[in-house]
Amino acid sequence: MGRRCCRRRALVAACLGAALLLLGAAPRALRPAFENRAVGSSWLGGKRRSPLQMLYDLDQGPRSALAEVHRQRRDLLRRACSRHTRRQHLLQPEDLRHVLVDDAHGLLYCYVPKVACTNWKRVLLALSGRGPGDPRAIPAHEAHAPGRLPSLADFSPAEVNRRLRAYLAFLFVREPFERLASAYRNKLQRPWGATFQRRFGTGIVRRLRPRPGPDALVRGHDVRFDEFLAYLLDPRTRRDGPFNEHWERAHALCHPCRLRYDVVGKFETLAEDAAFVLSLVGAPGLRFPEPPSRARAAGRDRAARLFRDISPFYQQRLYGLYRMDFLLFNYSAPSYLRLR
């Protein structure tokens, strides 16, 4: 076990001088955080255990049911990466843009839009003292304001690798099609999505609608779900550049087969998983802003309604596009799909 861990650590190499970061292909095993001195952390010097040390301690002794769930998720992710990924590209600095850094508590959080990321940003701001102590008092636009939370992409190669070795890294994921349906509703269907409608909706109707009306060409306010899916599947969309983060695949935002994640939280168990992370941080009194109790069921029902009118052919193609998120994060294909 020790040799394997050493070999994994030896794979962690910084070559950002050539604008690239090469990381071990498998997530590293948990180990005592004091083996790697962190930068600027309030827990440095033995004041208190780091979140990674707390998780390591949990992993060594009798585990609670929730700690066992998270150990199993780590193992499933590691096995899925080994089984389903072969050639992997070298990470560039911008690939780390979604990984936010909390030096004071030794945390790395990769945010995935439409998976409670606004509330997680609020929590990180509250933890770091950059906002009110109650995360719910932080407006959404402040949580998303550029520069409020540092990104791992902003650090030098040595600083990046130091944090990757010593900090607790976590992300939250969601059933891929429920997340996709949520992104469509929030950004292209709702009235407050006017900015996205002008930016993306106008191009979608111009490209895919045979006879778009003049109002739709100016506002992009009436994109149908089938048009949105056709836009995602259109090869021209990928040639134009990466997907927008709200419908980009979670694995393409967070690179879970190149970066190790110690906690894989899920939207479906958001309250329990958020409380688990905050307990490792040593902030159990900080309450994670919970969504309405029916949010999960409403999201599932919305996705089922939207996909009901999509042909099996396009359902199959879309499943292929998001297949890695289903496999890596252990989601089954939804029962409402008609996959052949």
Side-chain angles (χ1 to χ4, degrees), residues 120-154:
W120 267 115
K121 289 178 181 181
R122 286 170 168 147
V123 166
L124 292 179
L125 287 170
L127 278 173
S128 65
R130 294 184 176 95
D134 184 353
R136 294 169 296 182
I138 302 174
H141 71 272
E142 288 189 18
H144 292 297
R148 290 299 304 275
L149 292 163
S151 164
L152 196 58
D154 298 329

Side-chain angles (χ1 to χ4, degrees), residues 28-288:
R28 60 115 167 92
L30 285 176
R31 60 182 182 281
F34 51 73
E35 289 183 6
N36 300 283
R37 289 192 291 275
V39 184
S41 299
S42 62
W43 42 266
L44 184 60
K47 293 181 181 178
R48 62 183 176 87
R49 275 181 161 81
S50 74
L52 186 59
Q53 177 68 60
M54 294 286 287
L55 187 60
Y56 176 84
D57 291 346
L58 284 176
D59 213 42
Q60 299 310 298
R63 300 187 188 97
S64 67
L66 191 55
E68 178 61 21
V69 164
H70 285 287
R71 185 197 64 78
Q72 291 177 8
R73 286 181 188 171
R74 287 195 304 273
D75 289 348
L76 283 168
L77 176 58
R78 185 179 67 249
R79 290 199 299 270
C81 285
S82 176
R83 187 179 305 120
H84 299 294
T85 59
R86 294 293 182 265
R87 296 173 57 187
Q88 298 187 54
H89 73 282
L90 298 176
L91 291 181
Q92 300 185 14
E94 270 312 296
D95 291 324
L96 306 176
R97 181 60 57 190
H98 273 245
V99 182
L100 303 179
V101 179
D102 179 354
D103 280 327
H105 298 86
L107 295 175
L108 299 175
Y109 162 57
C110 185
Y111 71 93
V112 179
K114 309 310 301 174
V115 193
C117 75
T118 301
N119 283 334
W120 267 115
K121 289 178 181 181
R122 286 170 168 147
V123 166
L124 292 179
L125 287 170
L127 278 173
S128 65
R130 294 184 176 95
D134 184 353
R136 294 169 296 182
I138 302 174
H141 71 272
E142 288 189 18
H144 292 297
R148 290 299 304 275
L149 292 163
S151 164
L152 196 58
D154 298 329
F155 294 92
S156 71
E159 291 171 328
V160 166
N161 280 318
R162 198 175 302 128
R163 286 167 173 81
L164 288 173
R165 287 193 299 269
Y167 286 12
L168 180 104
F170 70 100
L171 80 163
F172 273 70
V173 296
R174 184 177 186 178
E175 196 278 324
F177 285 177
E178 289 181 25
R179 176 174 168 249
L180 190 63
S182 177
Y184 166 74
R185 176 174 179 263
N186 189 256
K187 299 302 179 185
L188 293 172
Q189 197 177 40
R190 288 287 188 89
W192 57 74
T195 300
F196 266 75
Q197 290 163 7
R198 286 192 299 270
R199 182 180 172 190
F200 294 101
T202 55
I204 291 173
V205 297
R206 184 177 295 110
R207 180 191 295 179
L208 298 169
R209 192 174 296 178
R211 291 178 295 278
D215 197 29
L217 287 171
V218 172
R219 297 171 57 198
H221 63 296
D222 61 349
V223 173
R224 300 189 309 270
F225 188 59
D226 64 304
E227 292 175 323
F228 173 56
L229 299 187
Y231 162 78
L232 296 178
L233 293 168
D234 189 335
R236 291 172 291 180
T237 303
R238 297 313 301 269
R239 286 200 297 267
D240 292 342
F243 281 165
N244 178 268
E245 62 179 10
H246 291 84
W247 43 82
E248 180 61 280
R249 288 75 52 88
H251 78 272
L253 295 173
C254 295
H255 311 284
C257 296
R258 302 302 285 163
L259 304 177
R260 60 101 185 109
Y261 286 95
D262 305 298
V263 176
V264 178
K266 295 199 170 187
F267 186 80
E268 296 77 12
T269 51
L270 178 60
E272 301 94 323
D273 294 344
F276 181 72
V277 172
L278 291 175
S279 71
L280 297 174
V281 175
L286 183 62
R287 291 197 60 184
F288 187 87

